[in-house]
Amino acid sequence: MHKIKILLSVVVMFLSLHLSAKDYDVLDFGAKADGVTLNTRIIQRAIDYISKHGGGRLVFKAGNYVTGTFYVKSNVTLHLEHGATILGSTNPFDYTTCKEVYAIWQSMIYSIRQENVGITGKGTINGRGFITANNLMNYIHRGIFNDDLKLDRPREWRRPHNIIFRECTNVRITDITLRDPASWNQSYDQCKNVYVDGIYVDSKSYWNNDGIDIVDCDGVVIKNSYFDAADDVLCFKSHEPDQVCQNVVVENCVGRSSANGLKFGTFSKGGFKNFKVKNIKIFDTFRSAITFAAVDGGFVENIEVDGVQSINTGNVIFLRVGDRRNYGETPYMKNVRISNVYAEVPFGKPDAGYNYEGPIEDNPRNISPASIVGLPEYKIEDVVLKNIEIVYPGAGNPLYAYRGTSTEELDSIPEMRKWYPEFSQWKELPAWAFYVRHAKGIIFDNVKLIAEKKDYRPSIVLDDVNGATFKNVKFSEPESEGKQQIVQSKSNKIVVE
């Protein structure tokens, strides 16, 4: 983690250097802040001019600037003053793909293979994605635009992001508000030295609206930011087998989601290494507060999460190694530390009432436990859970759905190695607090597990676990005196202190 601290200092130093250049007013280039005029070409000409003449800030003063796709170039920062809004055009044909790198994905704001670029200020970027996506749907139904409509909606690459930065060095995104993309919100792909601080994200106008996507980047800081997303909040991906998403710091962020809070994956072709996540709050979130998935041949290694408040989330911790597709590589997960967590799991649907709720899952299914699940040949290794308190509703009912803990019953739980990784994919699981399968070197240290009502299941089930240590682990469950709370099958070297 010492390397991450040095990298953080370098990121801040580099990013502070390119902010002192000259300011240029976009209105002086002929832009109209009337909320009607399409300013795409004017904004692009202004950026080209500033980049060619030594760099600087392109300043947007209060007003509404409509635009389609444009590109930010080296040494240019977009600066949005308070009251300034860059509005995405609602005409889908005003957006283009970056054919050099992205054959199909669209975005309002691109930056490709540039350096010293950024977006700052107290203004807003509003993609108006709901209107744009529905206009696109209208064109598809009329035969003007071709799309195969997965789940009766246009594919996500046909709908514009707000921001895509690819292979850029020294990226600064601070203080701005990001709203309503038609697809993903902001994606930073194979970038180096990315600094995100103090942003506000309202990204729930349409499907696939993530909060932020960091893809195969090296050197990232995300801090002091708020995310409200229809899809994953803090989403880290690895799209290429020869790339790694690494050296990342996340601090003091808050998020809610109709999917996951902090997530690695689902694309996990390369890997994730050297993460420090500190002081995050996830609330009213449909899936997991923390999801680490290595299912495409990639790896997860050297991850520290310290300080999580998870309130009204469908699940708390989900660690998964799968074998969906491996590209010739061997997936693995090891050296994960999760500490200082307080969590409350509700009985009902935690994102009920939002415009784009997570899917209503097949029933019957009792409340799922947190899970650490590898594969027989790819065990999850060296996981420490320290200073954890989780409050569950309990009330698991064997007449509603039943999963027993005999060897035969545990063996009947399918591996599901090719499935999309979600904590609920097995439907019924045999524990109410933690289910650990195909793992070794798991430590529970000062962990308190609370069930508000009696549950037919034990608190913890270990299945094919080589080495598990329980230090000061406490269970609270009504009417459970004498109940065996830790059940193990095909496991060894289990120590309870």
Side-chain angles (χ1 to χ4, degrees):
M1 291 302 170
H2 179 64
K3 180 179 179 182
I4 292 181
K5 292 180 181 178
I6 295 174
L7 185 142
L8 173 57
S9 299
V10 172
V11 169
V12 174
M13 179 185 70
F14 271 113
L15 293 173
S16 63
L17 291 178
H18 80 276
L19 294 180
S20 58
K22 184 177 178 181
D23 283 354
Y24 297 85
D25 189 338
V26 70
L27 295 173
D28 291 339
F29 290 87
K32 303 295 183 183
D34 56 13
V36 177
T37 303
L38 187 65
N39 291 288
T40 309
R41 293 183 179 180
I42 290 171
I43 293 172
Q44 190 64 67
R45 282 200 301 267
I47 291 170
D48 295 346
Y49 178 90
I50 296 169
S51 181
K52 183 177 179 180
H53 290 82
R57 299 196 309 177
L58 180 60
V59 177
F60 293 76
K61 295 181 178 178
N64 296 310
Y65 303 82
V66 179
T67 183
T69 296
F70 65 86
Y71 288 73
V72 179
K73 297 187 177 179
S74 288
N75 303 312
V76 175
T77 294
L78 307 181
H79 183 74
L80 282 60
E81 293 186 350
H82 180 73
T85 299
I86 295 179
L87 286 173
S89 169
T90 58
N91 183 351
F93 291 100
D94 286 334
Y95 299 95
T96 61
T97 62
C98 177
K99 293 182 173 57
E100 181 184 9
V101 177
Y102 293 98
I104 52 178
W105 289 94
Q106 294 187 350
S107 183
M108 182 201 314
I109 303 174
Y110 275 114
S111 189
I112 308 295
R113 297 172 183 160
Q114 305 298 306
E115 62 181 7
N116 303 329
V117 291
I119 307 173
T120 65
K122 297 294 185 180
T124 298
I125 296 172
N126 184 345
R128 297 195 286 185
F130 181 82
I131 300 173
T132 304
N134 280 282
N135 285 343
L136 177 60
M137 179 71 82
N138 182 35
Y139 291 149
I140 293 168
H141 286 312
R142 292 165 59 192
I144 298 173
F145 197 98
N146 292 322
D147 189 273
D148 53 2
L149 292 180
K150 182 179 180 181
L151 300 177
D152 199 34
R153 56 183 181 255
R155 301 304 294 264
E156 53 267 40
W157 52 81
R158 306 281 193 188
R159 301 177 257 122
H161 289 48
N162 279 342
I163 298 170
I164 294 179
F165 281 19
R166 166 73 182 246
E167 296 177 61
C168 293
T169 301
N170 301 335
V171 177
R172 183 181 181 92
I173 310 293
T174 60
D175 299 327
I176 61 170
T177 293
L178 288 161
R179 295 188 184 278
D180 297 346
S183 184
W184 297 6
N185 181 23
Q186 50 184 328
S187 176
Y188 306 93
D189 189 342
Q190 295 185 36
C191 294
K192 293 183 178 180
N193 299 342
V194 178
Y195 183 80
V196 179
D197 188 3
I199 67 172
Y200 181 95
V201 174
D202 184 353
S203 181
K204 57 182 187 296
S205 66
Y206 204 70
W207 299 105
N208 310 110
N209 280 183
D210 291 2
I212 184 170
D213 290 274
I214 304 293
V215 184
D216 289 323
C217 290
D218 186 355
V220 178
V221 176
I222 304 172
K223 58 193 296 189
N224 307 322
S225 296
Y226 179 91
F227 302 87
D228 190 356
D231 213 313
D232 299 322
V233 171
L234 295 156
C235 191
F236 298 89
K237 299 177 184 291
S238 184
H239 283 178
E240 303 296 336
D242 60 348
Q243 296 289 327
V244 178
C245 195
Q246 62 184 342
N247 302 322
V248 176
V249 174
V250 179
E251 292 183 338
N252 304 324
C253 290
V254 177
R256 72 144 297 276
S257 167
S258 294
N260 297 275
L262 171 67
K263 183 178 181 181
F264 293 2
T266 298
F267 278 111
S268 49
K269 297 180 183 180
F272 308 90
K273 182 172 67 175
N274 300 338
F275 276 66
K276 172 72 174 181
V277 181
K278 186 175 181 179
N279 296 334
I280 63 170
K281 179 179 179 180
I282 305 298
F283 70 100
D284 295 354
T285 289
F286 174 62
R287 297 196 187 277
S288 302
I290 299 169
T291 292
F292 299 158
V295 296
D296 297 326
F299 64 87
V300 175
E301 181 176 11
N302 195 21
I303 312 298
E304 182 177 351
V305 180
D306 181 10
V308 177
Q309 188 179 34
S310 170
I311 305 298
N312 195 37
T313 60
N315 187 50
V316 184
I317 297 168
F318 178 57
L319 309 184
R320 172 64 168 160
V321 170
D323 196 20
R324 187 173 66 166
R325 44 182 178 255
N326 61 39
Y327 303 94
E329 302 296 328
T330 299
Y332 67 86
M333 185 181 301
K334 65 181 181 180
N335 193 17
V336 176
R337 302 287 186 271
I338 301 174
S339 59
N340 300 311
V341 176
Y342 176 78
E344 297 175 1
V345 176
F347 188 79
K349 196 168 185 291
D351 66 336
Y354 287 98
N355 288 341
Y356 291 92
E357 293 183 19
I360 296 175
E361 299 167 291
D362 293 335
N363 285 320
R365 182 178 70 83
N366 289 304
I367 298 299
S368 296
S371 302
I372 301 171
V373 183
L375 290 172
E377 70 275 35
Y378 304 135
K379 288 182 168 62
I380 295 175
E381 303 180 31
D382 189 19
V383 176
V384 176
L385 304 171
K386 185 174 183 180
N387 301 334
I388 310 286
E389 181 175 344
I390 305 177
V391 181
Y392 287 93
N397 184 348
L399 300 178
Y400 184 62
Y402 177 78
R403 177 75 75 179
T405 57
S406 70
T407 299
E408 293 77 13
E409 288 169 314
L410 293 178
D411 285 346
S412 72
I413 300 174
E415 298 292 350
M416 304 184 80
R417 62 176 61 235
K418 299 291 185 182
W419 279 58
Y420 188 95
E422 290 291 2
F423 78 94
S424 57
Q425 67 187 77
W426 294 277
K427 296 177 68 174
E428 187 72 9
L429 286 174
W432 61 259
F434 271 93
Y435 173 65
V436 185
R437 190 185 205 190
H438 305 315
K440 62 181 179 180
I442 309 299
I443 296 175
F444 287 72
D445 185 356
N446 191 32
V447 174
K448 185 175 183 180
L449 303 171
I450 301 169
E452 294 181 320
K453 294 183 178 180
K454 180 178 174 58
D455 198 301
Y456 82 92
R457 302 166 292 181
S459 173
I460 298 172
V461 170
L462 308 176
D463 184 10
D464 185 27
V465 177
N466 182 7
T469 302
F470 297 88
K471 303 178 183 178
N472 191 30
V473 178
K474 299 178 180 178
F475 308 97
S476 176
E477 179 186 355
E479 305 174 54
S480 63
E481 185 176 353
K483 179 179 180 180
Q484 184 180 1
Q485 291 288 11
I486 302 176
V487 173
Q488 51 181 296
S489 174
K490 294 177 292 184
S491 301
N492 57 64
K493 299 181 182 179
I494 309 302
V495 178
V496 180
E497 299 178 0

